Amino acid sequence: MTGPQEHAVVVGAGLAGSLTAVFLARRGYRVSVYERRPDPRTAGTAATGRSINLGLSARGMAALDEAGLLDAVLARGVPMRGRVVHRPDGTTRFQPYGVREHEILHSVLRDDLLRLLVDTASAHPDVSFHFGRTLTGLDRDKGTVEVADPAETVEADLIVGADGVFSAARRHLQHGLRADYAQEFLPWGYTELTIPAGPGGVPRVRLEALHVWPGEDALMVAHPNRDGSLTCSLFMAHEGPVSFAALRDRAAIHAFADAAFPDARELMPDLADELLAHPVGRLVTVRTAPWRHEDRVVLVGDAAHAVYPFFGQGMNAAFEDCLVLDACLGRHPDRGTALAAYEAARRPHTDVLADLSAANFTELRARVHRPGYVLAAAADRALSRLLPHRWVPLYTLVAHTTTPYADALARVRRQRRALAAAVTVGTAVAVLAARLSLRGRAC
Amino acid sequence: MTGPQEHAVVVGAGLAGSLTAVFLARRGYRVSVYERRPDPRTAGTAATGRSINLGLSARGMAALDEAGLLDAVLARGVPMRGRVVHRPDGTTRFQPYGVREHEILHSVLRDDLLRLLVDTASAHPDVSFHFGRTLTGLDRDKGTVEVADPAETVEADLIVGADGVFSAARRHLQHGLRADYAQEFLPWGYTELTIPAGPGGVPRVRLEALHVWPGEDALMVAHPNRDGSLTCSLFMAHEGPVSFAALRDRAAIHAFADAAFPDARELMPDLADELLAHPVGRLVTVRTAPWRHEDRVVLVGDAAHAVYPFFGQGMNAAFEDCLVLDACLGRHPDRGTALAAYEAARRPHTDVLADLSAANFTELRARVHRPGYVLAAAADRALSRLLPHRWVPLYTLVAHTTTPYADALARVRRQRRALAAAVTVGTAVAVLAARLSLRGRAC
Ligand SMILES: Cc1cc2nc3c(=O)[nH]c(=O)nc-3n(C[C@H](O)[C@H](O)[C@H](O)COP(=O)(O)OP(=O)(O)OC[C@H]3O[C@@H](n4cnc5c(N)ncnc54)[C@H](O)[C@@H]3O)c2cc1C
Ligand SMILES: Cc1cc2nc3c(=O)[nH]c(=O)nc-3n(C[C@H](O)[C@H](O)[C@H](O)COP(=O)(O)OP(=O)(O)OC[C@H]3O[C@@H](n4cnc5c(N)ncnc54)[C@H](O)[C@@H]3O)c2cc1C
């Protein structure tokens, strides 16, 4: 950047906002981050929301690596080498994530990650964080934001909306424009539960794996923590016969858990207390356009696209946004062009991610323990071992590569078509050969 | 209704709100209608928005008939017996709407219709209109609305949100609920233009028809008025090489009209003045759910579903909402059940209407004057003459019947499948016959 130092305001010090601050400072901006919540480094978990852990995969790692943070993050996480599927009869099956060594995920605590990001960004002399300050207005043409407590108008050359799924920055950015906007809620919600470590910090289940309890009516996923415990997300309908609303007392909760997760129940001594005390979160998909206004305002992360968590990609996609935005700012000296290039490069792919994440709900809910799914997954793995460069499973492309989401989907569709064609030709040849041999015999 | 008289608040005295007031009064409610704009009966056109005319078709007529208003409306309208398609070379082709006598539409001025509806409703002793009063709040559980100027809180047993596409009632109804909401803007907008009557009130074009100038880059539709004039809606992109934004001066406008609507240009002496003065409207599709809350709040018309105007069904669907809501209130003594039945009966169909209206954009834009379209339309008409009870074109089902929209689409799909099967079988028989006859000859 030439000329006087430009000022960037980042709205939201969540995962995307903090990483964006790091990248913008590196590009020479003076950066002010305004965050509604208190400082996560001093406030403890209660103030930052929930104690949850997230699965970090290739896209998120690539972005953290670019920011020089990957090693520090991995040192705080637990590798997950595959998925342990728990069946209703209490038996389990381990499905490795990939066939190659590096194809693993990492379970990281959101708060740990956030503290590291905020620490790193605020170590930069040009970055300042302002906690407990809520965005209340934004003038997209003047380039100003209004923040509350105390009320103040802040001028900026660039405003980055990183304020999550119900983004106020987005609302102000799009106000009065012909903006497309679609939100869709899943009838299911989620809550966090715990599988504590056993005596002496010994994990009660295989630690270096993601645990899944699939089910039509309720499903649970557990990520490991470094202290030997696992944090579970329980997903089920908000209302109805099997639902959060129906689990009103201990008896109902225990009967439900006995039926749905017989082997998990004994691992979760606090199940009923947690279920009765913890809030139930909502799951929403948001697709919208535009993500930017001229050279002044741009959205990243959940503010730009929210997806159901069933592919474990929300944070990863948010980090990838930051990386692509940074690359576009580097490539195009004109910021309007850079922001347009960023939106054009990202939006088609996050729209596809929304579809994939919704499709994976069906998958996780029902098919993971069905013979058909197991067979298909085994075939996927076998084919990718046989044809390592030509056959790559969709999950591998999404979780273990940085192939843009839409390209990953297109590639898998091509693979499937080629396989179908090969099977058809193969069958035809076999039938022909059989006929010829029959004829040969008949003569 | 038994017990003390219940109070209904209707938000918006547009087409749907005024008709709803008539129906609710008939069911025994005391009805208060709050409308942001001034009284259309005294304020003249300027205050009610634009002077536009709309195509009234079977669904709207059925609802007006039930309210005892159909004859009065038809007396104020102009029948349209078909569509006159204007080709780029200046020639025209008349396509009758249906094959049966009653298959005609009626062009009515929105303001005429609105005044009639407001007059009829306010003639009822239990109905009061409050013009210049804007809804500013709504408590869905308490059953209260806040209206401004002067600020007042009004209690109601039932609140009907009929406040159009950017409904404030809808926003308050859904606030904090897991509501699905999708808005999508067309990159095209529209503006109104006039084809004045010729000397002595003689129409300059065939009056009893809808006129269409199809085009890839701009299209125009004109509805007739009783004074011999026609009101045109010009549709084109907001921005781009051929767009409203590009038509900034008279020279540009005349060059555009000469190329796009050579035969229309000489019929429109005020074209340039109107185009430079009139605002450009936006076109948006809105799909959302829920439409109601318990037994207290419900949405009708554009507040519940907005569609592109290319099937001429927005008002007709809004009127049909009023009719179905009234029927559900009649059928179910419990109002919560009635409102749920109304939403269940209507929403799947208006969602299909949104699809059909978007598809008709493509149709009107390009295909109406292409040989393929003309052939298909002629085949549609020929088949419906040959098989009057078995083959009914989609347009006929949508415009000239009250078959629910989704059922209409399903029926047309069945017809097409049956035709495809018949053609396949017919072709096979013909091929077989030809072969046999060839063989016969060869012997
Ligand atoms: C159950 C569940 C499991 C998940 N698991 C995974 C996973 O395994 N892997 C994965 O990659 N992703 C996962 N995700 C998704 C991931 O959590 C999100 O995609 C990610 O947090 C988005 O980051 P963000 O910075 O865009 O938004 P957020 O993390 O929501 O941060 C937004 C920030 O903006 C602040 N803010 C909001 N409004 C204002 C305002 N008006 N003024 C100032 N500040 C404001 C908020 O306080 C917050 O700090 C999961 C999500 C859920 C719900
Ligand atoms: C170019 C164009 C052509 C069309 N052609 C046709 C056609 O040929 N045939 C057809 O059937 N349909 C047509 N339509 C669609 C039709 O105009 C609408 O579907 C119809 O007007 C919807 O009626 P409504 O009563 O639901 O909403 P509206 O007519 O929009 O009425 C809403 C009322 O609520 C009031 N209001 C809004 N907010 C508040 C508030 N906060 N407080 C109080 N009052 C409020 C408004 O002032 C307004 O009076 C066309 C639309 C367009 C844009």
Side-chain angles (χ1 to χ4, degrees):
Chain A
M1 213 160 48
T2 57
Q5 190 177 33
E6 293 202 274
H7 182 214
V9 161
V10 176
V11 186
L15 298 172
S18 312
L19 184 59
T20 296
V22 174
F23 282 132
L24 287 176
R26 210 175 61 169
R27 291 232 165 262
Y29 284 88
R30 179 166 71 82
V31 184
S32 311
V33 188
Y34 291 87
E35 164 62 46
R36 186 167 58 183
R37 292 190 184 141
D39 190 334
R41 294 165 301 178
T42 52
T45 301
T48 61
R50 292 144 175 197
S51 159
I52 53 168
N53 45 23
L54 304 167
L56 179 68
S57 55
R59 293 158 209 276
M61 289 193 257
L64 292 170
D65 199 21
E66 175 65 31
L69 286 167
L70 183 58
D71 291 341
V73 171
L74 295 191
R76 286 165 173 76
V78 180
M80 300 189 289
R81 304 187 187 281
R83 190 190 254 170
V84 176
V85 178
H86 295 249
R87 298 210 197 76
D89 62 5
T91 62
T92 61
R93 166 194 294 269
F94 179 71
Q95 300 169 343
Y97 271 131
V99 290
R100 279 165 288 273
E101 180 54 29
H102 70 274
E103 293 180 353
I104 56 176
L105 307 186
H106 297 268
S107 170
V108 289
L109 279 167
R110 183 182 187 278
D111 286 347
D112 276 358
L113 185 54
L114 193 57
R115 278 189 285 263
L116 177 70
L117 287 168
V118 172
D119 262 342
T120 307
S122 55
H124 201 290
D126 290 336
V127 177
S128 60
F129 278 85
H130 308 268
F131 291 100
R133 305 292 299 275
T134 300
L135 178 90
T136 56
L138 184 160
D139 186 320
R140 63 178 174 248
D141 292 310
K142 282 200 203 133
T144 54
V145 298
E146 309 285 327
V147 287
D149 294 319
E152 190 187 344
T153 303
V154 183
E155 289 187 16
D157 300 291
L158 173 63
I159 302 164
V160 181
D163 49 348
V165 56
F166 293 111
S167 171
R170 178 182 66 216
R171 214 173 49 242
H172 293 293
L173 157 64
Q174 296 181 341
H175 183 79
L177 299 181
R178 296 188 307 273
D180 292 337
Y181 178 78
Q183 68 179 41
E184 196 171 345
F185 281 90
L186 201 67
W188 286 34
Y190 71 97
T191 200
E192 267 98 39
L193 304 169
T194 319
I195 296 181
V202 179
R204 293 179 191 232
V205 293
R206 181 181 190 138
L207 193 68
E208 298 203 337
L210 181 83
H211 290 256
V212 182
W213 286 260
E216 288 281 348
D217 297 326
L219 71 91
M220 196 163 68
V221 174
H223 287 84
N225 298 319
R226 290 174 66 82
D227 66 3
S229 69
L230 290 94
T231 305
C232 310
S233 302
L234 170 65
F235 298 91
M236 64 195 300
H238 286 283
E239 283 120 33
V242 184
S243 69
F244 285 111
L247 299 183
R248 269 188 227 120
D249 54 51
R250 283 164 199 281
I253 291 172
H254 289 143
F256 158 75
D258 283 342
F261 318 114
D263 63 332
R265 189 185 150 187
E266 62 199 66
L267 306 174
M268 305 169 83
D270 306 325
L271 175 67
D273 291 330
E274 290 184 323
L275 249 177
L276 292 171
H278 290 186
V280 176
R282 295 163 176 207
L283 299 169
V284 63
T285 299
V286 171
R287 297 167 212 254
T288 191
W291 288 5
R292 58 131 200 154
H293 182 68
E294 296 175 0
D295 63 344
R296 297 240 170 236
V297 190
V298 68
L299 305 176
V300 293
D302 280 13
H305 48 77
V307 302
Y308 297 146
F310 303 108
F311 229 121
Q313 283 295 312
M315 163 188 67
N316 287 287
F319 283 163
E320 201 172 42
D321 287 349
C322 304
L323 185 65
V324 173
L325 176 59
D326 181 61
C328 289
L329 287 171
R331 202 170 305 133
H332 304 283
D334 174 66
R335 194 168 50 225
T337 309
L339 302 189
Y342 157 73
E343 179 169 352
R346 285 303 284 163
R347 194 149 50 73
H349 297 296
T350 54
D351 281 348
V352 166
L353 176 61
D355 294 336
L356 294 179
S357 300
N360 235 32
F361 174 54
T362 319
E363 198 101 314
L364 271 177
R365 213 178 137 187
R367 280 190 259 155
V368 177
H369 61 185
R370 290 225 185 116
Y373 178 84
V374 173
L375 262 181
D380 238 10
R381 270 197 307 280
L383 282 165
S384 72
R385 260 199 216 92
L386 279 172
L387 312 164
H389 300 290
R390 308 182 70 209
W391 185 276
V392 188
L394 179 61
Y395 188 87
T396 302
L397 287 169
V398 168
H400 302 302
T401 78
T402 56
T403 308
Y405 296 115
D407 301 352
L409 180 63
R411 170 164 182 177
V412 165
R413 288 202 170 133
R414 270 199 311 278
Q415 287 173 182
R416 285 190 196 142
R417 268 200 305 277
L419 182 67
V423 168
T424 308
V425 170
T427 310
V429 169
V431 168
L432 217 64
R435 280 200 178 184
L436 288 175
S437 80
L438 275 178
R439 249 191 225 170
R441 266 182 228 162
C443 291
Chain B
M1 213 160 46
T2 58
Q5 190 177 32
E6 293 201 274
H7 182 214
V9 161
V10 176
V11 186
L15 299 172
S18 312
L19 185 59
T20 296
V22 174
F23 281 132
L24 287 176
R26 211 175 59 168
R27 290 230 166 263
Y29 284 88
R30 180 166 71 82
V31 184
S32 310
V33 188
Y34 291 88
E35 164 61 46
R36 185 167 59 183
R37 293 189 183 141
D39 190 334
R41 294 165 301 178
T42 51
T45 302
T48 61
R50 291 148 175 192
S51 159
I52 53 167
N53 45 23
L54 304 166
L56 179 68
S57 55
R59 292 158 208 277
M61 288 193 257
L64 291 171
D65 199 21
E66 176 65 31
L69 286 167
L70 184 57
D71 291 341
V73 171
L74 295 191
R76 284 165 173 75
V78 180
M80 300 189 290
R81 303 186 186 281
R83 188 191 253 169
V84 176
V85 178
H86 295 249
R87 300 209 197 75
D89 63 5
T91 61
T92 62
R93 167 192 292 270
F94 178 71
Q95 300 169 343
Y97 270 132
V99 290
R100 278 164 289 273
E101 180 54 28
H102 70 274
E103 292 180 352
I104 57 178
L105 307 186
H106 296 269
S107 170
V108 289
L109 280 168
R110 184 183 187 278
D111 286 347
D112 277 357
L113 185 54
L114 193 57
R115 278 189 285 261
L116 178 69
L117 286 168
V118 172
D119 263 342
T120 307
S122 57
H124 200 290
D126 291 335
V127 177
S128 60
F129 279 84
H130 308 268
F131 290 100
R133 306 292 299 275
T134 300
L135 178 91
T136 54
L138 184 162
D139 186 320
R140 63 177 174 250
D141 292 310
K142 283 201 202 131
T144 54
V145 299
E146 309 284 327
V147 287
D149 296 318
E152 189 186 345
T153 303
V154 183
E155 290 186 13
D157 299 291
L158 173 64
I159 302 164
V160 181
D163 49 347
V165 56
F166 294 111
S167 172
R170 178 183 66 219
R171 213 172 51 241
H172 293 293
L173 158 64
Q174 295 180 341
H175 184 78
L177 299 182
R178 297 188 307 272
D180 292 337
Y181 178 78
Q183 69 179 40
E184 197 171 345
F185 282 90
L186 201 68
W188 286 33
Y190 72 97
T191 199
E192 266 96 40
L193 304 170
T194 318
I195 296 180
V202 178
R204 292 177 193 233
V205 293
R206 181 182 191 136
L207 195 67
E208 298 203 337
L210 180 85
H211 291 256
V212 182
W213 287 259
E216 287 282 346
D217 297 326
L219 70 91
M220 196 164 68
V221 173
H223 286 86
N225 299 318
R226 290 174 66 81
D227 67 2
S229 68
L230 289 94
T231 306
C232 311
S233 302
L234 170 64
F235 298 90
M236 63 196 299
H238 287 283
E239 284 120 30
V242 183
S243 69
F244 285 110
L247 298 183
R248 269 189 228 119
D249 55 51
R250 281 164 198 283
I253 291 172
H254 288 143
F256 159 74
D258 283 342
F261 318 114
D263 62 332
R265 189 185 150 186
E266 61 199 67
L267 306 173
M268 306 170 82
D270 306 325
L271 174 67
D273 291 330
E274 290 184 322
L275 249 177
L276 292 171
H278 290 187
V280 175
R282 295 162 176 208
L283 299 169
V284 64
T285 299
V286 171
R287 295 167 214 255
T288 190
W291 288 5
R292 56 131 202 157
H293 182 69
E294 296 175 359
D295 63 344
R296 296 239 172 238
V297 190
V298 68
L299 304 176
V300 294
D302 279 14
H305 48 77
V307 303
Y308 297 147
F310 302 109
F311 228 121
Q313 284 293 312
M315 163 187 68
N316 287 287
F319 283 163
E320 201 172 41
D321 288 349
C322 305
L323 185 65
V324 173
L325 176 59
D326 181 61
C328 289
L329 288 171
R331 202 170 304 133
H332 303 284
D334 174 66
R335 194 169 49 225
T337 310
L339 301 189
Y342 157 73
E343 179 170 353
R346 285 303 284 163
R347 193 148 51 72
H349 297 295
T350 54
D351 280 350
V352 166
L353 175 61
D355 294 337
L356 295 178
S357 300
N360 235 32
F361 174 55
T362 320
E363 197 102 312
L364 272 176
R365 211 176 140 189
R367 279 190 260 155
V368 177
H369 61 184
R370 288 223 187 117
Y373 177 84
V374 172
L375 261 183
D380 238 11
R381 271 198 306 280
L383 281 165
S384 71
R385 259 199 217 92
L386 278 172
L387 311 164
H389 299 289
R390 307 182 73 208
W391 184 277
V392 187
L394 179 61
Y395 188 87
T396 302
L397 287 169
V398 168
H400 302 303
T401 79
T402 55
T403 308
Y405 296 115
D407 301 351
L409 180 62
R411 170 163 182 177
V412 165
R413 287 200 172 135
R414 270 199 313 278
Q415 288 173 180
R416 285 188 196 142
R417 269 200 305 276
L419 182 67
V423 167
T424 309
V425 171
T427 309
V429 169
V431 168
L432 218 63
R435 279 200 180 184
L436 288 175
S437 81
L438 275 179
R439 253 195 222 169
R441 266 181 227 164
C443 290

